[in-house]
Amino acid sequence: MTTRTAFGDVAILVPAAGMGVRLGPGQPKALRELAGEALLVHAVRNLAAAPSTGLIVIAAPADDVDLVRDLLARFDVVVVAGGATRQESVACALAAVPLDFDLVLVHDAARCLAPPELVESVAAALRAGSQAVIPVLPVADTIKRVDDAETVVETVDRSVLRAVQTPQGFRRDVLAAAHASAAAQHTDDAGMVEAMGVRVTAVPGDDRALKITRPFDLAVAAAVLASVPAAPDTPPASADSPNPPSPANPPSPASSPSAPES
Ligand code: CTP
Ligand code: MG
């Protein structure tokens, strides 16, 4: 189903077709379990709970499209086959978004605990006029540049560095142009947009939007989940929602990055 049935004005693309090689042997990462549910179920539950969400499109592993549809049957989502790279998977999902969505967010299934508030703050920055928006956190570790022999070349000034999360938000035409013109593979969508010379705005990220990459991250996510209640299972807000997103109904702010510590 690719018709627009919900009230929210934002389409969210969820690249979920990766194999999770760094997580070790097993199912594709989005299908691995955290507290008894697939990472993708956690991700979709959190996205669907955001009032701005009008459509969710999942780019699933090509061999698992039917399985993912069944897994997410209780949510109002569109599932398409992803591609060989993250960038291709995002392009596959973008192609399924009806043209009446002007605002598009891209969110890694691997960041399955990103809270609905983060969707709202990225969407709010887009509505306020930004072309492209990324959630960021200050870098906590000291960062050093090394050479091929692992000899330290310099200590980098971390005060100007940010760790980048998803959901990343874009005006749809900007994201579509970036994908149409991308000459290389980028690790995130904002990278493609930057390469086009479009200004990208940073907003405060959220620790809960951590990316599950290695087994240790799964353990961290389990601890986060145990300490923070999950969002309830909700479809995207319906047209008669009593609380639609609007400039007069701003989202709650995400946690602010604090001053770097040593
Ligand atoms: N992704 C995707 N299609 C691909 C590769 C990655 O949709 N061909 C998605 C992943 O499912 C994940 C997000 O992009 O939600 C970020 O990628 P990453 O964390 O690297 O996940 P994997 O590629 O699955 O992990 P690995 O690189 O360890 O195999
Ligand atoms: Mg990968």
Side-chain angles (χ1 to χ4, degrees):
M1 179 190 70
T2 56
T3 51
R4 184 175 178 179
T5 56
F7 181 86
D9 60 345
V10 172
I12 307 185
L13 317 180
V14 184
M19 290 298 115
V21 171
R22 288 169 289 178
L23 213 44
Q27 287 184 291
K29 180 157 64 181
L31 301 176
R32 310 251 189 137
E33 292 202 346
L34 170 64
E37 287 186 304
L39 300 190
L40 187 55
V41 171
H42 289 283
V44 169
R45 179 187 295 119
N46 282 309
L47 296 174
S52 292
T53 304
L55 175 70
I56 298 173
V57 182
I58 314 292
D63 292 342
D64 295 314
V65 170
D66 289 339
L67 189 157
V68 167
R69 282 200 184 109
D70 289 348
L71 188 68
L72 299 175
R74 66 185 185 275
F75 299 99
D76 186 16
V77 299
V78 174
V79 182
V80 300
T85 65
R86 182 189 182 281
Q87 198 163 307
E88 284 177 27
S89 294
V90 172
C92 292
L94 183 58
V97 176
L99 289 173
D100 57 343
F101 281 96
D102 291 333
L103 307 181
V104 177
L105 268 53
V106 184
H107 182 56
D108 290 335
R111 297 181 189 273
C112 63
L113 300 184
E117 293 89 342
L118 199 54
V119 169
E120 293 305 308
S121 65
V122 170
L126 288 174
R127 289 189 202 104
S130 295
Q131 305 272 298
V133 181
I134 57 172
V136 303
L137 290 177
V139 176
D141 291 323
T142 295
I143 305 287
K144 297 191 191 284
R145 190 188 309 278
V146 297
D147 64 15
D148 292 346
E150 288 291 310
T151 301
V152 172
V153 175
E154 65 166 334
T155 301
V156 181
D157 175 11
R158 72 180 179 193
S159 70
V160 296
L161 300 180
R162 300 289 181 270
V164 179
Q165 303 180 318
T166 72
Q168 299 186 350
F170 305 92
R171 296 209 61 84
R172 180 213 177 89
D173 51 350
V174 169
L175 185 62
H179 274 273
S181 65
Q185 291 293 322
H186 295 260
T187 54
D188 72 349
D189 301 278
M192 281 189 292
V193 168
E194 289 158 48
M196 287 199 312
V198 172
R199 172 185 241 162
V200 177
T201 305
V203 298
D206 191 298
D207 287 330
R208 290 168 288 179
L210 80 159
K211 184 154 79 79
I212 295 173
T213 304
R214 298 182 179 82
F216 179 80
D217 304 320
L218 259 185
V220 172
V224 171
L225 200 56
S227 64
V228 183
D233 281 5
T234 44
S238 63
D240 56 2
S241 164
N243 192 24
S246 74
N249 177 24
S252 31
S255 61
S256 300
S258 51
E261 292 168 0
S262 58

